[in-house]
Amino acid sequence: SLMIKVITYGTFDTFHYGHFFLLERAKALGTHLSVCISTDEFNIQEKGKSAKLNFVDRVRIIKSLNIVDDVYAEKSWDQKIQDILKYNINVFAIGDDWEGKFDYLKSYCDVVYIPRTKHVSSTLIRGY
Ligand code: CTP
């Protein structure tokens, strides 16, 4: 099809301009952008930290963006291959703090690491 589908993953707590630039650059890699947002359970159990905003609020913010076409829940580290196959994804994109970590997805789609925006993060905004 003429659609080039991009997917990205993250917590997107206290939505900030670093998130916006990342999503804008991810969308520009294709024509359709899916964002997989980590659930509160996944954050606590797997990332060892809880977001300031709950999952429903984080989803509402990301869904409100015109550049975002679909929003899904991230519930496990190993759902990526299933997601890529299920949604016919062409490009997996993520910030370069994850450089090299998702190279194993290269047998399923293109993998692109996008430079992070300096001096802003959810951790800085939350203050914990
Ligand atoms: N991101 C970015 N630039 C930043 C912060 C985040 O490009 N300054 C990207 C990340 O690389 C990731 C996505 O935004 O692809 C979601 O990142 P997330 O971990 O939710 O945001 P952080 O601000 O990095 O959160 P934390 O401080 O909790 O790690």
Side-chain angles (χ1 to χ4, degrees), residues 1-98:
S1 94
L2 296 170
M3 195 153 63
I4 297 171
K5 297 186 77 177
V6 183
I7 199 164
T8 194
Y9 293 73
T11 302
F12 300 98
D13 190 25
T14 65
F15 189 78
H16 58 68
Y17 61 91
H19 294 146
F20 177 73
F21 295 148
L22 181 283
L23 293 174
E24 194 177 49
R25 294 185 70 164
K27 177 66 177 258
L29 296 171
T31 59
H32 181 283
L33 179 62
S34 295
V35 183
C36 240
I37 303 182
S38 56
T39 62
D40 298 326
E41 296 72 23
F42 183 69
N43 280 333
I44 292 163
Q45 286 164 23
E46 297 298 325
K47 295 190 173 177
K49 59 184 173 187
S50 50
K52 184 176 182 76
L53 298 187
N54 66 34
F55 176 75
V56 170
D57 287 346
R58 290 182 285 113
V59 166
R60 280 170 50 220
I61 292 168
I62 298 292
K63 271 194 174 170
S64 78
L65 299 170
N66 285 199
I67 57 173
V68 173
D69 298 288
D70 285 317
V71 175
Y72 301 114
E74 178 183 28
K75 300 177 179 183
S76 78
W77 292 112
D78 57 16
Q79 73 186 65
K80 294 185 182 70
I81 292 170
Q82 293 158 252
D83 292 346
I84 288 163
L85 297 173
K86 182 162 52 170
Y87 304 127
N88 290 306
I89 297 300
N90 305 103
V91 184
F92 170 92
I94 199 150
D96 66 1
D97 42 321
W98 294 97

